[in-house]
């Protein structure tokens, strides 16, 4: 397994304005990475300047990740400012809550655009640049719900299963050239639930037990450094994935009953 050093690595990171992405940005800057950070909320991104060691360590490119122009700008900025890209982290993501029957085509398309098409198309344009990078890696922040789906999150689960399948295929294609790490967190303390594109659920989805985003970021960075291909971050998440693999019928019953 590769042991990757992070100092001076050139990173493009999406969803850097809050939650897991903001923590990833802080920790990568601390480790000496040079970062192109993106999200829509520019003011939030500017807060990252507090965590830089030098004025040329951070480039902020604000905008909507669904825009092809913005995605091209990210890669172009990494090339003009840092000379290339070594690490691409596709982290930006959104969710929706509630029964599928109450959801809309619009919300399904929005979720798939941000969680699937945007990272896939950013990856497409980054691959030729990553190939010229140092020990290059693509990191896709997915979810344990990309391994095992649950009720009332059908659109989100579909988007994360899609990125999981894409990641497995691409990892095999790029073997020996570019690494690919799939990160599957469980519930994380972030703005994610408050900012769901829709909430038609009668249930209270306020997370009861959630991992701090700083821990998700730390474990993801450790996996990048260790050259891992896939991590499921919590014991509960690992248990769910294991149970689903060995006893899918039982897991279906449990998920139907307890969600
Ligand atoms: N929170 C959880 O329980 C959990 C669990 C498993 C996996 N995840 C995954 O972890 C990743 C990060 O989520 P989080 O928990 O840190 O949530 P978060 O705090 O809501 O952060 C989401 C990030 O994505 C960005 N984003 C959303 N839509 C965007 C768009 N159209 N264009 C550009 N940027 C956009 C947001 O920035 P702007 O709004 O400023 O654009 C923000 O920086 C997501 O992929 C999510 O699916 C989360």
């Amino acid at each position: 397994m590769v042991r990757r050093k992070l100092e001076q690595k050139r990173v493009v990171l999406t969803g850097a304005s809050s939650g897991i992405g903001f923590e990833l940005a802080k920790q990568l800057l601390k480790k000496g990475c040079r970062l192109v950070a993106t999200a829509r909320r520019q003011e939030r991104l500017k807060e990252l300047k507090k965590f830089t060691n030098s004025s040329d360590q951070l480039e902020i490119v604000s905008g909507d990740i669904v825009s092809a122009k913005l995605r091209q700008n990210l890669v172009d900025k990494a090339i003009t400012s840092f000379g290339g890209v070594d690490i691409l982290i596709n982290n930006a993501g959104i969710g929706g809550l509630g029964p599928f029957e109450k959801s809309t085509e619009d919300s399904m398309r929005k979720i798939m655009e941000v969680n699937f098409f945007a990272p896939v198309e950013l990856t497409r344009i980054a691959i030729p640049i990553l190939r010229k990078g140092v020990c290059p890696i693509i990191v896709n922040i997915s979810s344990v719900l990309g391994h095992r789906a649950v009720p009332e999150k059908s659109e989100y689960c579909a988007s994360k299963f899609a990125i999981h399948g894409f990641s497995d295929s691409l990892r095999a294609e790029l073997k020996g050239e570019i690494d690919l790490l799939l990160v599957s967190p469980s519930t994380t303390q972030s703005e994610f639930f408050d900012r769901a594109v829709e909430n038609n659920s009668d249930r209270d989805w306020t997370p009861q037990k959630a991992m701090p985003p700083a821990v998700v970021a730390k474990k993801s960075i450790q996996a990048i450094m260790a050259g891992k291909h896939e991590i499921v971050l919590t014991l509960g998440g690992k248990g769910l994935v294991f149970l689903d693999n060995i006893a899918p019928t039982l897991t279906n019953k449990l998920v139907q009953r307890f969600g």
Side-chain angles (χ1 to χ4, degrees):
M1 237 180 239
V2 189
R3 185 102 199 131
R4 184 176 279 104
K5 291 201 174 100
L6 289 182
E7 207 181 350
Q8 294 297 316
K9 287 286 185 303
R10 300 157 300 180
V11 184
V12 172
L13 168 67
T14 73
S17 62
S18 70
I20 296 168
F22 192 79
E23 292 298 329
L24 275 168
K26 273 166 62 178
Q27 294 181 28
L28 289 167
L29 288 168
K30 203 171 164 200
K31 289 202 175 287
C33 288
R34 289 170 290 168
L35 196 69
V36 176
T38 189
R40 288 165 301 182
R41 290 169 293 177
Q42 191 178 37
E43 287 312 308
R44 290 282 196 93
L45 294 172
K46 282 184 182 163
E47 288 175 31
L48 287 171
K49 286 184 184 165
K50 286 189 283 197
F51 305 99
T52 55
N53 304 317
S54 63
S55 58
D56 57 359
Q57 206 190 353
L58 173 69
E59 294 287 357
I60 289 169
V61 181
S62 59
D64 194 324
I65 199 64
V66 165
S67 153
K69 188 159 173 262
L70 181 272
R71 293 193 295 265
Q72 188 62 55
N73 286 346
L74 297 175
V75 176
D76 292 347
K77 181 57 87 178
I79 294 169
T80 51
S81 297
F82 307 143
V85 183
D86 306 307
I87 303 176
L88 167 63
I89 308 181
N90 290 307
N91 165 71
I94 52 173
L97 300 166
F100 173 69
E101 271 184 281
K102 289 190 186 169
S103 70
T104 60
E105 179 178 346
D106 184 51
S107 72
M108 176 61 101
R109 288 191 184 277
K110 265 192 194 134
I111 290 170
M112 290 302 288
E113 284 292 348
V114 175
N115 294 5
F116 181 66
F117 290 111
V120 163
E121 295 309 322
L122 179 55
T123 299
R124 192 193 302 280
I125 57 172
I127 284 174
I129 319 301
L130 281 162
R131 271 210 178 93
K132 297 182 205 148
V134 181
C135 211
I137 182 168
I138 298 161
V139 182
N140 290 332
I141 308 294
S142 181
S143 167
V144 77
L145 301 185
H147 293 267
R148 168 67 229 194
V150 297
E152 300 215 2
K153 293 182 182 169
S154 56
E155 300 146 308
Y156 182 71
C157 291
S159 72
K160 294 298 185 181
F161 264 71
I163 206 72
H164 182 173
F166 170 73
S167 300
D168 283 354
S169 175
L170 192 64
R171 184 187 300 113
E173 276 182 40
L174 296 175
K175 187 177 181 294
E177 291 186 290
I178 303 171
D179 277 351
L180 195 150
L181 167 66
L182 184 75
V183 177
S184 298
S186 298
T187 308
T188 306
Q189 291 160 14
S190 72
E191 298 170 22
F192 185 79
F193 289 93
D194 295 335
R195 303 188 82 219
V197 292
E198 63 175 5
N199 187 349
N200 299 314
S201 182
D202 295 331
R203 295 162 60 173
D204 177 11
W205 283 101
T206 315
Q208 302 301 319
K209 238 178 96 188
M211 190 176 257
V215 177
V216 177
K218 188 176 171 198
K219 286 176 181 269
S220 303
I221 289 171
Q222 283 169 346
I224 292 171
M225 293 172 73
K228 289 194 176 163
H229 290 158
E230 189 167 335
I231 51 167
V232 177
L233 289 188
T234 62
L235 205 57
K238 284 179 188 145
L240 183 65
V241 174
F242 179 71
L243 193 67
D244 192 43
N245 282 337
I246 59 157
T249 310
L250 171 66
T251 314
N252 275 336
K253 284 189 181 144
L254 290 173
V255 158
Q256 278 163 15
R257 179 131 186 221
F258 302 109

Short mmCIF file of all heavy atoms in Angstrom, two decimals, residues 210-243:
data_model
loop_
_atom_site.label_atom_id
_atom_site.label_comp_id
_atom_site.label_asym_id
_atom_site.label_seq_id
_atom_site.Cartn_x
_atom_site.Cartn_y
_atom_site.Cartn_z
N ALA A 210 -24.14 11.40 16.45
CA ALA A 210 -23.48 11.79 15.20
C ALA A 210 -22.00 12.01 15.45
O ALA A 210 -21.58 12.45 16.52
CB ALA A 210 -24.11 13.06 14.65
N MET A 211 -21.21 11.70 14.45
CA MET A 211 -19.75 11.86 14.55
C MET A 211 -19.39 13.32 14.27
O MET A 211 -19.96 13.93 13.35
CB MET A 211 -19.09 10.95 13.51
CG MET A 211 -17.59 10.83 13.65
SD MET A 211 -16.91 9.64 12.46
CE MET A 211 -16.64 8.24 13.51
N PRO A 212 -18.45 13.91 15.03
CA PRO A 212 -18.03 15.27 14.70
C PRO A 212 -17.34 15.29 13.32
O PRO A 212 -16.60 14.36 13.00
CB PRO A 212 -17.03 15.61 15.80
CG PRO A 212 -17.27 14.62 16.88
CD PRO A 212 -17.80 13.38 16.23
N PRO A 213 -17.57 16.33 12.52
CA PRO A 213 -16.97 16.38 11.18
C PRO A 213 -15.43 16.36 11.22
O PRO A 213 -14.79 15.87 10.30
CB PRO A 213 -17.50 17.68 10.58
CG PRO A 213 -18.06 18.46 11.71
CD PRO A 213 -18.44 17.50 12.78
N ALA A 214 -14.87 16.88 12.32
CA ALA A 214 -13.40 16.88 12.44
C ALA A 214 -12.87 15.45 12.48
O ALA A 214 -11.78 15.16 11.96
CB ALA A 214 -12.98 17.64 13.70
N VAL A 215 -13.64 14.55 13.09
CA VAL A 215 -13.21 13.14 13.17
C VAL A 215 -13.33 12.48 11.79
O VAL A 215 -12.44 11.74 11.37
CB VAL A 215 -14.03 12.36 14.24
CG1 VAL A 215 -13.63 10.90 14.28
CG2 VAL A 215 -13.88 13.01 15.61
N VAL A 216 -14.43 12.79 11.08
CA VAL A 216 -14.57 12.26 9.72
C VAL A 216 -13.39 12.72 8.86
O VAL A 216 -12.79 11.93 8.12
CB VAL A 216 -15.91 12.72 9.07
CG1 VAL A 216 -16.01 12.23 7.64
CG2 VAL A 216 -17.10 12.23 9.89
N ALA A 217 -13.06 14.01 8.98
CA ALA A 217 -11.96 14.56 8.18
C ALA A 217 -10.64 13.88 8.56
O ALA A 217 -9.86 13.49 7.68
CB ALA A 217 -11.87 16.07 8.41
N LYS A 218 -10.41 13.72 9.86
CA LYS A 218 -9.14 13.12 10.31
C LYS A 218 -8.99 11.68 9.79
O LYS A 218 -7.94 11.29 9.26
CB LYS A 218 -9.11 13.12 11.84
CG LYS A 218 -7.80 12.70 12.43
CD LYS A 218 -7.80 12.81 13.94
CE LYS A 218 -6.54 12.17 14.48
NZ LYS A 218 -6.60 11.86 15.88
N LYS A 219 -10.08 10.91 9.89
CA LYS A 219 -10.02 9.51 9.44
C LYS A 219 -9.86 9.44 7.90
O LYS A 219 -9.19 8.56 7.38
CB LYS A 219 -11.28 8.75 9.87
CG LYS A 219 -11.28 8.44 11.37
CD LYS A 219 -12.58 7.78 11.79
CE LYS A 219 -12.62 7.48 13.28
NZ LYS A 219 -12.12 6.17 13.66
N SER A 220 -10.49 10.38 7.21
CA SER A 220 -10.36 10.40 5.74
C SER A 220 -8.91 10.72 5.35
O SER A 220 -8.35 10.10 4.44
CB SER A 220 -11.29 11.45 5.14
OG SER A 220 -12.63 11.21 5.51
N ILE A 221 -8.32 11.67 6.05
CA ILE A 221 -6.93 12.07 5.75
C ILE A 221 -5.97 10.92 6.08
O ILE A 221 -5.04 10.64 5.31
CB ILE A 221 -6.58 13.38 6.49
CG1 ILE A 221 -7.34 14.54 5.83
CG2 ILE A 221 -5.07 13.64 6.47
CD1 ILE A 221 -7.26 15.86 6.57
N GLN A 222 -6.24 10.24 7.18
CA GLN A 222 -5.38 9.08 7.52
C GLN A 222 -5.47 8.03 6.41
O GLN A 222 -4.47 7.41 6.04
CB GLN A 222 -5.84 8.46 8.85
CG GLN A 222 -5.39 9.26 10.06
CD GLN A 222 -6.05 8.80 11.36
OE1 GLN A 222 -7.04 8.07 11.35
NE2 GLN A 222 -5.49 9.25 12.48
N ALA A 223 -6.69 7.83 5.87
CA ALA A 223 -6.87 6.83 4.80
C ALA A 223 -6.18 7.27 3.50
O ALA A 223 -5.61 6.45 2.78
CB ALA A 223 -8.36 6.61 4.55
N ILE A 224 -6.20 8.58 3.23
CA ILE A 224 -5.50 9.10 2.04
C ILE A 224 -4.00 8.81 2.20
O ILE A 224 -3.34 8.32 1.29
CB ILE A 224 -5.73 10.63 1.89
CG1 ILE A 224 -7.19 10.94 1.55
CG2 ILE A 224 -4.79 11.22 0.83
CD1 ILE A 224 -7.56 12.43 1.60
N MET A 225 -3.49 9.09 3.39
CA MET A 225 -2.05 8.90 3.63
C MET A 225 -1.67 7.42 3.57
O MET A 225 -0.59 7.07 3.09
CB MET A 225 -1.66 9.50 4.99
CG MET A 225 -1.78 11.02 5.00
SD MET A 225 -1.55 11.73 6.64
CE MET A 225 0.21 11.52 6.84
N ALA A 226 -2.57 6.57 4.04
CA ALA A 226 -2.27 5.12 4.07
C ALA A 226 -2.50 4.46 2.72
O ALA A 226 -2.17 3.30 2.53
CB ALA A 226 -3.14 4.45 5.13
N GLY A 227 -3.11 5.19 1.78
CA GLY A 227 -3.37 4.61 0.45
C GLY A 227 -4.52 3.61 0.47
O GLY A 227 -4.54 2.68 -0.33
N LYS A 228 -5.46 3.80 1.39
CA LYS A 228 -6.61 2.87 1.45
C LYS A 228 -7.56 3.12 0.28
O LYS A 228 -7.57 4.21 -0.30
CB LYS A 228 -7.35 3.05 2.77
CG LYS A 228 -6.57 2.52 3.95
CD LYS A 228 -7.43 2.38 5.17
CE LYS A 228 -6.60 1.75 6.27
NZ LYS A 228 -7.17 1.91 7.59
N HIS A 229 -8.37 2.11 -0.02
CA HIS A 229 -9.33 2.22 -1.13
C HIS A 229 -10.75 2.48 -0.67
O HIS A 229 -11.57 2.97 -1.43
CB HIS A 229 -9.30 0.94 -1.96
CG HIS A 229 -8.04 0.80 -2.74
ND1 HIS A 229 -7.56 -0.40 -3.20
CD2 HIS A 229 -7.13 1.74 -3.11
CE1 HIS A 229 -6.42 -0.20 -3.83
NE2 HIS A 229 -6.14 1.08 -3.79
N GLU A 230 -11.03 2.11 0.56
CA GLU A 230 -12.41 2.25 1.03
C GLU A 230 -12.41 2.27 2.55
O GLU A 230 -11.71 1.48 3.17
CB GLU A 230 -13.21 1.03 0.54
CG GLU A 230 -14.67 1.18 0.79
CD GLU A 230 -15.51 0.14 0.04
OE1 GLU A 230 -15.05 -0.38 -1.01
OE2 GLU A 230 -16.61 -0.13 0.50
N ILE A 231 -13.17 3.21 3.14
CA ILE A 231 -13.35 3.16 4.60
C ILE A 231 -14.82 3.41 4.96
O ILE A 231 -15.47 4.27 4.40
CB ILE A 231 -12.44 4.17 5.37
CG1 ILE A 231 -12.55 5.61 4.81
CG2 ILE A 231 -11.00 3.71 5.40
CD1 ILE A 231 -11.92 6.66 5.73
N VAL A 232 -15.29 2.60 5.91
CA VAL A 232 -16.61 2.81 6.52
C VAL A 232 -16.27 3.28 7.94
O VAL A 232 -15.51 2.62 8.65
CB VAL A 232 -17.43 1.51 6.53
CG1 VAL A 232 -18.77 1.73 7.24
CG2 VAL A 232 -17.66 1.00 5.11
N LEU A 233 -16.82 4.45 8.34
CA LEU A 233 -16.21 5.13 9.48
C LEU A 233 -16.65 4.72 10.87
O LEU A 233 -15.93 4.93 11.82
CB LEU A 233 -16.40 6.64 9.33
CG LEU A 233 -15.58 7.27 8.22
CD1 LEU A 233 -15.68 8.78 8.25
CD2 LEU A 233 -14.12 6.88 8.32
N THR A 234 -17.85 4.20 11.01
CA THR A 234 -18.30 3.89 12.38
C THR A 234 -18.52 2.39 12.55
O THR A 234 -18.71 1.66 11.56
CB THR A 234 -19.64 4.59 12.72
OG1 THR A 234 -20.63 4.11 11.81
CG2 THR A 234 -19.53 6.10 12.61
N LEU A 235 -18.54 1.97 13.81
CA LEU A 235 -18.81 0.56 14.12
C LEU A 235 -20.22 0.19 13.65
O LEU A 235 -20.42 -0.87 13.06
CB LEU A 235 -18.68 0.37 15.64
CG LEU A 235 -18.33 -1.02 16.13
CD1 LEU A 235 -17.04 -1.51 15.50
CD2 LEU A 235 -18.25 -1.05 17.65
N GLY A 236 -21.16 1.10 13.90
CA GLY A 236 -22.55 0.86 13.47
C GLY A 236 -22.63 0.72 11.95
O GLY A 236 -23.32 -0.16 11.44
N GLY A 237 -21.90 1.58 11.24
CA GLY A 237 -21.88 1.52 9.78
C GLY A 237 -21.27 0.21 9.29
O GLY A 237 -21.81 -0.45 8.39
N LYS A 238 -20.17 -0.18 9.93
CA LYS A 238 -19.50 -1.45 9.55
C LYS A 238 -20.43 -2.62 9.81
O LYS A 238 -20.54 -3.55 9.01
CB LYS A 238 -18.22 -1.63 10.37
CG LYS A 238 -17.08 -0.74 9.88
CD LYS A 238 -15.84 -0.95 10.73
CE LYS A 238 -14.81 0.08 10.34
NZ LYS A 238 -14.00 0.58 11.37
N GLY A 239 -21.13 -2.57 10.96
CA GLY A 239 -22.06 -3.64 11.33
C GLY A 239 -23.19 -3.76 10.32
O GLY A 239 -23.55 -4.86 9.90
N LEU A 240 -23.73 -2.62 9.90
CA LEU A 240 -24.84 -2.61 8.94
C LEU A 240 -24.41 -3.21 7.60
O LEU A 240 -25.10 -4.05 7.02
CB LEU A 240 -25.35 -1.17 8.75
CG LEU A 240 -26.56 -1.00 7.85
CD1 LEU A 240 -27.80 -1.68 8.43
CD2 LEU A 240 -26.84 0.49 7.61
N VAL A 241 -23.23 -2.79 7.14
CA VAL A 241 -22.72 -3.28 5.85
C VAL A 241 -22.46 -4.79 5.93
O VAL A 241 -22.85 -5.56 5.04
CB VAL A 241 -21.43 -2.52 5.44
CG1 VAL A 241 -20.81 -3.12 4.19
CG2 VAL A 241 -21.73 -1.04 5.22
N PHE A 242 -21.87 -5.23 7.05
CA PHE A 242 -21.56 -6.66 7.24
C PHE A 242 -22.85 -7.49 7.26
O PHE A 242 -22.97 -8.47 6.55
CB PHE A 242 -20.76 -6.84 8.55
CG PHE A 242 -20.41 -8.26 8.85
CD1 PHE A 242 -19.46 -8.94 8.10
CD2 PHE A 242 -21.04 -8.94 9.89
CE1 PHE A 242 -19.15 -10.26 8.37
CE2 PHE A 242 -20.74 -10.26 10.17
CZ PHE A 242 -19.79 -10.94 9.41
N LEU A 243 -23.80 -7.01 8.07
CA LEU A 243 -25.07 -7.75 8.21
C LEU A 243 -25.79 -7.83 6.87
O LEU A 243 -26.34 -8.88 6.51
CB LEU A 243 -25.95 -7.06 9.25
CG LEU A 243 -27.16 -7.86 9.73
CD1 LEU A 243 -26.71 -9.09 10.52
CD2 LEU A 243 -28.06 -7.00 10.62
#
